[in-house]
């Protein structure tokens, strides 16, 4: 009997460091929220009103926030080309450098809105590509027993990045000059350089090495990641099975984008599922809090500053993500998504109705708030915290886990690129239109997210199979089997992979000879 793949400390440490790309993603997403209400930032990039006061209109807020998402959409697609040509490791190096350049352009601007948004777009190219490559890399290097947990680490890093951006802005927003926003934005260059430097010491993905004919390097990486010698039977088994799967996948020639939607091995269903989960995730409501929470909570009438409230939300997000490291492998993917959609929908509905009926109009002075306004604000903030916590435990990490483990090597970079691009497209739509929608309907925008969460529950129940504990090759068989998603929990592969049998035979022969 072949033994289980060991949980290598090196593999875990490697995954944690690679997931630092998620920290960049989260930090860049969170940092702009506080900048939008900093007086110096508003004076430099806003417009002077008739009363002599500077304001940052909803249209300018939309442009500043959404240009990052526009870049991430393009970057998520572009990485599909670089991850094959440069390798997973080389691609991470390249896009980390692009991200760092974009941050430098943002930090160096003085009064130019155009320079600021160009810098955000370029940084977005790096963030979007890394959001696709990191799950791809981790999915290809992690032992299956902990693959879900390791992919969750990516989301932990994303949420940690958001939280640290809030912390730095909590400390810097009281500075009465451009340092109030330059410091938190400029710190991103440090994060980019850390990732860029560390990649020089990390290995290439063994699947990519085998796919490009570098078998000896692949064996060495597999051995290192599993903490065993290169001639260990486990290494032989893993490499032979990967090599066999790669040859089978490549028999049809070079993969195309259209192949991601082919009927072979239900690839169309997998790609659509990956894209739909990312679409639903973006319209859960939590990103509205991340992008515009400071502005939104100003009207909630709490006794705390919006920076403090946002920092509390960030801390709750981090705390909420940590249980996902356990639940992703005990609950599984389906249960996490179903429970998460239910809990978040309840929170979004309460925020919408209570906020609409009790909150004061935007711009109402604090001294004019009634007891009803303040009580309603407390309820809104409380259930916003609950929603963010539930998101961190369920819908935050799970779509990325599913994306990283659902596709065969042949189309994996392209399929993951489509999923990530979907994420960023709807991130762009959310960040661009949210301020305009809130201007018209206020807290009732949460009803949009409530409806999406109800739809998400239905979609997951009927369309998303359980992939917990399966190898990437066994996921292929699950989809080929045609098992209904609602009956996929407990499914086990019926066929033995050829090279697993080879390993069994070799182990048996070795025992007999000894």
């Amino acid at each position: 009997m072949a033994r289980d793949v060991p949980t290598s400390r090196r593999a875990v440490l490697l995954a944690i460091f690679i997931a630092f790309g998620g920290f960049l993603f989260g930090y860049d997403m969170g940092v702009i929220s506080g900048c939008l209400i900093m007086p110096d930032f508003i004076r430099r990039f806003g417009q002077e009103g008739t009363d002599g006061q500077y304001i940052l209109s909803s249209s300018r807020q939309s442009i500043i926030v959404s240009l990052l998402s526009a870049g991430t959409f393009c970057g998520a697609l572009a990485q599909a080309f670089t991850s094959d040509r440069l390798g997973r490791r080389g691609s991470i190096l390249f896009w980390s450098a692009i991200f760092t350049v974009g941050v430098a352009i943002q930090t160096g601007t003085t009064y130019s809105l155009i320079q600021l948004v160009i810098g955000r777009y370029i940084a977005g190219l790096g963030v979007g590509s890394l959001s696709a490559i990191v799950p791809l890399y981790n999915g290809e290097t992690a032992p299956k027993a902990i693959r879900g947990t390791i992919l969750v680490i990516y989301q932990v890093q994303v949420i940690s990045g958001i939280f640290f951006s809030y912390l730095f802005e909590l400390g810097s927003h009281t500075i009465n000059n451009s340092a109030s926003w330059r410091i938190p934005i400029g710190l991103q260059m440090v994060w980019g350089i850390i990732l860029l430097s560390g990649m020089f010491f990390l290995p290439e993905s063994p699947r990519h090495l085998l796919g490009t004919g570098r078998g000896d390097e692949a064996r060495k990486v597999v051995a290192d990641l599993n903490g065993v010698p290169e001639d260990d039977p486990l290494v032989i088994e893993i490499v032979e099975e990967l090599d066999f799967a790669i040859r089978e996948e490549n028999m049809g020639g070079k993969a195309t984008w259209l192949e991601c939607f082919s009927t072979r091995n239900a690839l169309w269903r997998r790609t659509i599922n990956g894209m739909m989960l990312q679409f639903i995730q973006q319209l859960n409501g939590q990103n509205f809090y991340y992008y515009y929470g400071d502005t939104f909570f100003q009207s909630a009438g709490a006794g705390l500053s919006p920076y403090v409230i946002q920092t509390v939300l960030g801390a709750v997000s981090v705390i909420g993500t940590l249980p996902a490291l356990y639940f992703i492998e005990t609950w599984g993917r389906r249960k996490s998504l179903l429970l998460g959609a239910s809990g978040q929908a309840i929170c979004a509905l309460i925020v919408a109705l209570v906020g609409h009926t009790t909150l004061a109009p935007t711009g109402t002075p604090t001294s004019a708030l009634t007891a009803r306004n303040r009580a309603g604000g407390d309820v809104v903030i409380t259930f916003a915290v609950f929603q963010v916590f539930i998101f961190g435990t369920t819908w935050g990490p799970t779509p990325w886990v599913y994306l990283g483990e659902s596709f065969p090597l042949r189309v994996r970079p392209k399929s993951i690129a489509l999923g990530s691009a979907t994420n960023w497209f709807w991130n762009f739509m959310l960040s661009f239109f949210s301020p305009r929608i809130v201007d018209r309907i206020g807290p009732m925008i949460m009803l949009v997210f409530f409806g999406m969460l109800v739809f998400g529950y239905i979609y997951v129940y009927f369309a998303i199979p359980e992939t917990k504990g399966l190898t990437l090759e066994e996921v292929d068989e699950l989809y080929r089997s045609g098992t209904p998603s609602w009956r996929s929990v407990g499914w086990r592969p019926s066929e033995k992979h050829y090279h697993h049998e080879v390993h069994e035979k070799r182990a048996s022969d070795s025992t007999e000879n000894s």
Side-chain angles (χ1 to χ4, degrees), residues 170-486:
L170 180 63
S172 71
H173 80 277
T174 55
I175 302 173
N176 294 321
N177 55 48
S178 65
S180 60
W181 56 270
R182 287 188 200 275
I183 290 175
I185 289 179
L187 277 171
Q188 294 174 100
M189 285 188 284
V190 177
W191 316 143
I193 291 170
I194 289 174
L195 184 61
L196 191 64
S197 303
M199 284 309 301
F200 286 103
F201 304 97
L202 297 181
E204 181 56 84
S205 158
R207 281 183 173 84
H208 177 75
L209 291 172
L210 283 170
T212 52
R214 292 181 281 174
D216 291 340
E217 293 179 58
R219 277 187 289 275
K220 185 177 187 307
V221 172
V222 170
D224 287 345
L225 291 176
N226 289 283
V228 295
E230 285 187 48
D231 58 355
D232 189 278
L234 177 65
V235 175
I236 297 172
E237 175 186 344
I238 292 173
V239 171
E240 286 186 338
E241 185 166 322
L242 288 175
D243 195 38
F244 177 75
I246 289 168
R247 288 202 306 271
E248 288 289 303
E249 291 164 2
N250 290 338
M251 285 178 63
K254 186 176 178 62
T256 64
W257 288 95
L258 195 59
E259 187 175 339
C260 297
F261 300 94
S262 73
T263 56
R264 184 175 65 88
N265 293 340
L267 287 176
W268 69 272
R269 182 182 165 199
R270 298 194 233 184
T271 301
I272 293 296
N273 280 349
M275 294 171 70
M276 286 299 294
L277 286 180
Q278 296 294 330
F279 160 59
I280 297 166
Q281 186 207 53
Q282 283 304 302
L283 296 183
N284 269 204
Q286 82 297 331
N287 277 348
F288 171 73
Y289 294 132
Y290 292 152
Y291 281 135
Y292 300 108
D294 285 356
T295 306
F296 181 70
F297 292 133
Q298 278 185 321
S299 64
L304 301 173
S305 79
Y307 290 100
V308 173
I309 297 171
Q310 197 79 321
T311 303
V312 170
L313 276 180
V316 168
S317 297
V318 174
I319 295 169
T321 307
L322 295 178
L325 295 167
Y326 173 77
F327 290 135
I328 197 71
E329 298 297 353
T330 53
W331 285 357
R333 287 48 162 165
R334 276 177 59 84
K335 190 173 183 180
S336 292
L337 293 171
L338 292 171
L339 291 176
S342 303
Q344 286 188 85
I346 293 171
C347 293
L349 182 62
I350 292 173
V351 170
L353 298 180
V354 173
H356 178 69
T357 57
T358 66
L359 292 188
T362 302
T364 302
T366 304
S367 58
L369 295 176
T370 66
R372 176 182 170 82
N373 296 149
R374 294 182 184 278
D378 290 342
V379 172
V380 165
I381 293 170
T382 298
F383 279 92
V385 168
F386 284 154
Q387 183 172 351
V388 167
F389 178 85
I390 296 169
F391 174 84
T393 304
T394 56
W395 276 88
T398 308
W400 292 107
V401 172
Y402 189 86
L403 198 63
E405 66 184 10
S406 294
F407 307 106
L409 178 68
R410 177 177 170 79
V411 297
R412 187 172 296 135
K414 290 182 172 62
S415 293
I416 290 180
L418 289 170
S420 297
T422 301
N423 178 291
W424 289 114
F425 173 78
W426 288 102
N427 188 291
F428 167 78
M429 297 294 283
L430 174 76
S431 59
F432 186 79
F433 287 107
S434 286
R436 303 162 192 264
I437 295 172
V438 171
D439 275 353
R440 292 178 177 271
I441 64 174
M444 292 296 280
I445 191 176
M446 297 306 296
L447 283 183
V448 176
F449 305 132
F450 166 77
M452 181 54 60
L453 287 159
V454 172
F455 168 75
Y457 184 96
I458 296 170
Y459 186 86
V460 169
Y461 184 84
F462 288 104
I464 303 299
E466 182 56 71
T467 56
K468 179 185 75 171
L470 302 179
T471 66
L472 300 180
E473 290 71 34
E474 288 167 349
V475 171
D476 280 344
E477 186 189 342
L478 169 61
Y479 274 97
R480 288 199 306 269
S481 71
T483 302
S485 297
W486 58 92

Side-chain angles (χ1 to χ4, degrees), residues 12-28 92 96 99-100 126-127 130-131 134-135 137-138 150-162 164 168 187-199 202:
V12 174
L13 292 176
L14 179 147
I16 292 173
F17 182 81
I18 290 297
F20 192 72
F23 186 91
L24 270 65
F25 161 19
Y27 190 96
D28 201 33
I92 292 173
S96 297
F99 168 80
T100 306
V127 169
L130 290 171
S131 73
V134 169
Y137 184 94
N138 275 344
I150 283 179
L151 287 170
V152 169
I153 292 173
Y154 174 73
Q155 182 66 18
V156 173
Q157 294 274 31
V158 171
I159 300 300
S160 297
I162 294 172
F164 275 96
F168 285 119
L187 277 171
Q188 294 174 100
M189 285 188 284
V190 177
W191 316 143
I193 291 170
I194 289 174
L195 184 61
L196 191 64
S197 303
M199 284 309 301
L202 297 181

Side-chain angles (χ1 to χ4, degrees), residues 99-158:
F99 168 80
T100 306
V101 169
V103 173
I105 292 173
Q106 292 176 67
T107 309
T109 189
T110 52
Y111 291 92
S112 172
L113 178 64
I114 294 176
Q115 181 178 339
L116 177 70
V117 297
I118 287 175
R120 283 185 61 75
Y121 178 82
I122 293 173
L125 290 173
V127 169
S129 58
L130 290 171
S131 73
I133 300 170
V134 169
L136 172 67
Y137 184 94
N138 275 344
E140 292 182 350
T141 56
K144 73 170 185 176
I146 58 169
R147 189 177 66 240
T149 300
I150 283 179
L151 287 170
V152 169
I153 292 173
Y154 174 73
Q155 182 66 18
V156 173
Q157 294 274 31
V158 171

